[in-house]
Structures are given as C-alpha cells and as structure tokens.
Amino acid sequence: GRLGERELGVNGITGVFYLILAMIGYGLSSGMQIQMARRAGEGDKRGLAELMTNGAMLSVVFSLGLMLMTLWLVPLLFGYSLNDNDNFALSVSFVYIRVWGLPFLIISQLFSSFFISIGRSRLLIYGSVAAAASNIIFDYVLIFGKLGFPMLGFKGAAFASVIAEVFYAITMVAMFFGNRLHHEFPVFSFRHFDFSLSQRTLKVAAPLIVQFLFSIGGWLVFFIFIEHLGAQSLAASQVLRNIFGLVGVGTWALATTCNTMVSNIIGQGRRRDVAGVIWKICKISLTYTGFLCIVILLFSKQFLSVYSGDAALVTFAIPSLRVIIVATLIMALSTVVFNGVVGTGNTLVNLTIEVSCVGCYLVYCYFVIYAWKSPLYLCWGSEFVYWTLLLIASTLYLKSGRWKGKDI
C-alpha cells in the first residue's frame, strides 16, 4: 500500500490468483481431513496414520505438478485478461517468485488438517506465529531495503511470503515430531505409496478441489473485471478485500471446525446431533462477525488508512465498505453451514452447490461490472448474490437428510 496505487491494485489480482492455488491445496487437505476425522471418530489410529503418510507423499507430487502448471499458465492468463501492460509485467514477475512457496504451503495444510482431525488444533498457533512473524519482518526489510537487505519493492513482498511459508512448514513438522505424535500415530509403518488409498482420497478431495477452484476463480474474474474500471477501483478493491480476510480469520476457522466436528460425530454414529452442532457454531460465527463489523463501521477511515495513505482512495472506498460489511454477516452463516455439508462427506453435492452459486455470481459480475460499468459499491453487491445463494442451498440440503448413511 505504501509503494503506490498500481502496486496495491496488482497485489489484489496476484493475491487472489495465489489464493486459488492455496485453495486447490486446501481442497486436497480438506478431503484428507474429512477421512482423518472419520478415522479419529472411529478410534482407528493406524488408519489415520496411514492416511497421513500417504497424504504427505500425494501432497508433494500434487504441489510440484501445480507449481509447474502455474509457471506455464500465468503469462497466458494475465496476457489475455489484463488491459495494462505494466500490470501484466508486475503480475507475472510476482507470481513467478511467489509460486516457489506452494509445496511448503500444501505440506503445512496437510499437517494442519491432521492436528485438527485429532483435536490438537492448538498446535496450529505455533505455525501461524512463525509464519506471520517472519512474513512481517521480511516484508519490511525486503520491500524497503532495511538492515542491509536489498530494496526489492513489490518483489520483496513475494520473497517474504515464500520465506514465511518455509518457516510455517518447518514449524508444523517440528510440532508433529516434538510432541511425539509419530509414536501415537505410527506414520513410519507405511513407507510405500498406496495408489488405492490415494484414489479414495482423491475421490473425496477432487470435488472440493474443483469447488474451491470455482469459488476463488470467480473472485479472480471479479478483480479482472474491476481492472478494466481503472487503477483507483482496482486499488480500492484490494483494500476492501482485506475485510473478508479479517472476518475470515474467525469464520473460516469456525467453518473448518464445523467440517471436522460433523465428520467426527457421524463417525461416532451420532447423526442426530449434526444440526445442533452446526447451529451452535453459526451463532458463534455471527457474534464474532457482528462485533468486528461494528468496529470497522465506527472507524472506517482509520481502518482503510492502514492499507493506504491516499485520502482520496480511502474516501472512494467507504461506500463499498458499507456494502461489504453487510455481506460478511451473511458469509458468517453460509461458510459454516456449507462446511457442515462438506463434513458429511458428500463432496459432489458441495461441488454442485458451489458451481451453481458461482455461476450466478459471474452473471451478476458480467452485467454489473463489465457490461454496465457500474459504481464500485454496486460491483461489490455480487457478494450478496453468492453468499445468500450458498446459505440457502446448503441449508436445504442439510434439511433434506440425503447426507445420512454416506460412507467415506
């Protein structure tokens, strides 16, 4: 935000693109998490350890393939979609650095899923602290050239993020072995890659991977359309995107918890308790989001000024901020309920719901942003369309009871 309006805007596009890659990896780890949580609910520690070991091998191969595909795809994608040549050059150079952290991120996601599955989610804190601290420190020294480091500007942010993901992976692995979990869960008993187990894992995970690809991919299309509106709209949208990040700290954590708890209690044979668990987590999520939204509304200018010192940009973004605040209240419920559906293990249903909602979202974006060139606050109304439809569809599926009896 301190480098300039162009860098701030391009960060929005590259950030969402890398988020797609991260969420593809998250789809793989979520598929494993559903299975591991089910094994944990059944008390099958060897089965859980086998999933973990085979999942680690699968994650390495998967991440390297995704990384190579990204290096080939990025120039084509941004070359066809971005109007400004400078935006194109900045985007490609950033992603070419950023993508080297992907294997470390996907390994970290696997260990996170394992810790959540066995009810040791507190161990995630250490990895998060290591990643955040290293990211902040290396952002400062590499972007601005402090403490004898070279001044790399926008590229410095990419290098800092890669370094942070390396620290994150190292910390998560250290937590696993430091807490002697390899004795409780004998991961070294399974030294060979199991194709049949990987096939079952991918059967559960593949719909989630495609689901997240559509979900965040829709957001990338949104930012590409916004780029056509001009530098100020793109920069303001990047600032506004951080609201979803802040709210998501709580809601996505609660949603992941909902996913795991639903899978776990189904494994215990307590299907009648699923609706009650989801509703309790929804209330916590809505309370957290409501409190945060009130604070952001009361201190709108101060909040936006953290991301940019441009007073005109801050003033321009405020109407859209108010629209987003209301949308996040719906998101607080729909994210949890949707992950309750994920926890039932019927991932094809999740994919169907996601594709349908994203399709409606993209239709709105095409007409309101690309065709009609509407004001920015109307463009961000697309979030209402997506989150409302997601909440309705997920609720109807859970009420139908069609998820009962699903084996994974």
Side-chain angles (χ1 to χ4, degrees):
R2 297 301 183 270
L3 290 176
E5 195 172 84
R6 181 184 299 278
E7 287 82 359
L8 183 60
V10 170
N11 187 42
I13 295 172
T14 55
V16 173
F17 178 80
Y18 190 77
L19 185 59
I20 292 175
L21 304 180
M23 294 306 286
I24 290 173
Y26 181 63
L28 179 65
S29 64
S30 292
M32 296 177 193
Q33 181 177 314
I34 293 168
Q35 293 179 298
M36 289 191 288
R38 190 66 58 89
R39 299 293 90 78
E42 295 166 353
D44 183 5
K45 292 185 177 182
R46 281 190 63 82
L48 201 159
E50 185 179 12
L51 278 167
M52 177 66 178
T53 305
N54 204 69
M57 298 177 190
L58 183 61
S59 294
V60 170
V61 174
F62 186 86
S63 62
L64 292 175
L66 189 59
M67 180 180 165
L68 291 173
M69 186 184 70
T70 301
L71 292 171
W72 169 77
L73 180 64
V74 162
L76 297 175
L77 175 63
F78 290 150
Y80 282 115
S81 60
L82 299 182
N83 275 348
D84 190 295
N85 288 332
D86 290 334
N87 287 350
F88 166 76
L90 274 176
S91 298
V92 172
S93 63
F94 184 91
V95 174
Y96 268 24
I97 299 167
R98 187 74 180 85
V99 76
W100 289 94
L102 192 60
F104 300 98
L105 174 64
I106 291 180
I107 288 296
S108 300
Q109 289 172 333
L110 171 65
F111 277 90
S112 295
S113 295
F114 174 80
F115 292 145
I116 293 169
S117 299
I118 64 171
R120 300 285 294 273
S121 57
R122 289 183 182 180
L123 296 176
L124 272 63
I125 295 172
Y126 299 99
S128 299
V129 170
S134 57
N135 206 343
I136 292 169
I137 292 168
F138 284 101
D139 266 332
Y140 177 70
V141 300
L142 292 175
I143 291 174
F144 301 113
K146 303 293 183 180
L147 303 177
F149 285 85
M151 187 173 71
L152 300 177
F154 191 50
K155 291 181 180 179
F159 280 113
S161 294
V162 172
I163 293 169
E165 285 169 343
V166 173
F167 274 100
Y168 195 2
I170 291 172
T171 305
M172 298 300 275
V173 173
M175 287 298 104
F176 179 81
F177 290 103
N179 284 275
R180 306 181 70 80
L181 292 173
H182 58 292
H183 294 302
E184 185 177 354
F185 301 93
V187 291
F188 292 119
S189 297
F190 310 95
R191 298 179 183 275
H192 300 290
F193 187 74
D194 189 330
F195 284 97
S196 61
L197 181 57
S198 296
Q199 190 175 18
R200 293 202 304 272
T201 298
L202 288 172
K203 185 177 179 180
V204 177
L208 291 173
I209 293 169
V210 178
Q211 168 203 315
F212 289 131
L213 181 62
F214 269 88
S215 177
I216 310 301
W219 221 11
L220 179 62
V221 173
F222 171 86
F223 272 88
I224 288 171
F225 283 166
I226 291 292
E227 193 254 355
H228 294 195
L229 298 180
Q232 189 179 50
S233 293
L234 183 60
S237 294
Q238 161 58 7
V239 173
L240 294 165
R241 182 173 72 93
N242 289 284
I243 296 173
F244 287 98
L246 283 174
V247 173
V249 168
T251 58
W252 294 331
L254 288 164
T256 302
T257 304
C258 182
N259 175 340
T260 302
M261 290 187 70
V262 166
S263 186
N264 189 291
I265 63 175
I266 290 174
Q268 296 177 38
R270 297 166 50 199
R271 287 175 172 81
R272 67 185 181 280
D273 296 329
V274 166
V277 166
I278 294 172
W279 174 236
K280 286 179 181 179
I281 297 174
C282 276
K283 288 190 286 186
I284 299 171
S285 180
L286 189 61
T287 302
Y288 163 82
T289 305
F291 172 78
L292 199 57
C293 287
I294 290 171
V295 174
I296 293 174
L297 278 175
L298 290 175
F299 302 98
S300 298
K301 287 188 176 180
Q302 294 88 336
F303 170 78
L304 294 172
S305 296
V306 170
Y307 297 95
S308 175
D310 188 337
L313 183 66
V314 169
T315 302
F316 176 74
I318 284 179
S320 301
L321 179 142
R322 292 168 182 158
V323 172
I324 290 171
I325 285 296
V326 181
T328 56
L329 294 173
I330 304 172
M331 182 185 83
L333 297 174
S334 57
T335 306
V336 172
V337 176
F338 183 65
N339 270 269
V341 178
V342 175
T344 65
N346 201 344
T347 51
L348 281 174
V349 171
N350 291 95
L351 177 59
T352 303
I353 292 173
E354 188 69 60
V355 170
S356 301
C357 294
V358 171
C360 295
Y361 170 88
L362 289 175
V363 169
Y364 180 98
C365 288
Y366 177 81
F367 285 104
V368 175
I369 306 173
Y370 188 76
W372 300 338
K373 302 291 190 295
S374 303
L376 189 62
Y377 67 89
L378 289 179
C379 298
W380 276 98
S382 57
E383 297 300 321
F384 279 103
V385 175
Y386 174 74
W387 293 114
T388 302
L389 290 175
L390 191 70
L391 178 60
I392 292 170
S394 301
T395 302
L396 288 175
Y397 175 72
L398 288 170
K399 281 182 173 288
S400 73
R402 294 177 183 174
W403 49 272
K404 296 178 180 179
K406 174 69 178 177
D407 292 321
I408 57 172

